[in-house]
Amino acid sequence: MYLLKKVQDLQDYLQEVRGSGKKIGFAPTMGALHQGHLSLIRRSADENECTVCSIYVNPTQFNDTSDLAKYPRTAANDISLLTSGGNDVLFMPPDSEVYPAGLDTKIELSFGSLAKVMEGAHRPGHFEGMAQVVKRLLDIVGPDRLYMGQKDFQQLSIVRNMLDQLGMDIELVMCPIIRESDGLAMSSRNVRLTPDNRSRATLLYQTLSSILQSAETQSLEEISQRAMQTLSIPDFRPEYFEIVDGRSLQTLKQLEDTDFAVACTAVWVGDVRLIDNMILKSPFG
Ligand code: AMP
């Protein structure tokens, strides 16, 4: 595996790859890698001749500076996981390569209501920063396929919308959520949970898993309200629990109104903010 830190070095390398007719798959990450990240790498390695993973903790998408400071950084472990995980190129740029002085990387797009709900409502500026860094990284890497996790469902919807708006010819591949054996969605933030909260955090998965059964007797509004109560145990503070249309991300009144329904939640567990979701109904099989 090549480890590159400079845009120019990466572009020189990828120019040769492209020149020999090889397809490039790209998985952007913020490091502290786990099996969820590695599932993206493996999928890309299966579908492309060259897989690029980036590790960059992007300051512009953190609305909370203490969250940025506390974000886990485990570079040595990340490098060894990627080396054995089938990754070809690791791009680990410093801030000065991603946001060089004099280069305007701000993007002037509006994501409309997609960015106003759920994460957008609770983390002001987050999606603007996320879209800015994804656009910048896509411009640098120029992949054929982009691999992102369903774990960040709203992020993926916004990136899809950005690719459409900019007419970027990149295939966006959504990879399923990889979970721990008790159902907790893998996340770089899980290591910050206290042992007690770690064992109780499976409640997010349990609550999401019970929706379809409840939907036989309760309205979606009732289910969401009850889920908020279920998740309000000591030291847990749910921010939202929404059952939304998988395309518009607008709250659904009933499952019959769509062929694509997703339940999404964000919960503070102690001082760690966890997000999770479950696809309840999908047109994609
Ligand atoms: P992050 O490093 O948290 O920015 O995540 C980088 C990519 O990995 C994003 O596309 C995430 O959606 C994806 N990802 C994170 N956790 C998981 C997981 N548990 N399962 C699958 N993909 C994940």
Side-chain angles (χ1 to χ4, degrees), residues 218-238:
Q218 294 166 27
S219 71
L220 297 187
E221 194 183 348
E222 277 169 346
I223 292 174
S224 299
Q225 281 170 2
R226 276 177 182 245
M228 289 292 281
Q229 287 164 7
T230 307
L231 290 164
S232 298
I233 59 173
D235 220 18
F236 279 43
R237 188 167 59 80

Side-chain angles (χ1 to χ4, degrees), residues 184 192-194 196-201 204 231 233-238 266-274:
L184 176 65
R192 293 186 38 234
L193 294 167
T194 63
D196 257 10
N197 282 342
R198 166 63 193 86
S199 60
R200 299 186 316 156
L204 275 74
L231 290 164
I233 59 173
D235 220 18
F236 279 43
R237 188 167 59 80
V267 184
W268 282 97
V269 176
D271 67 348
V272 185
R273 188 173 182 279
L274 299 181

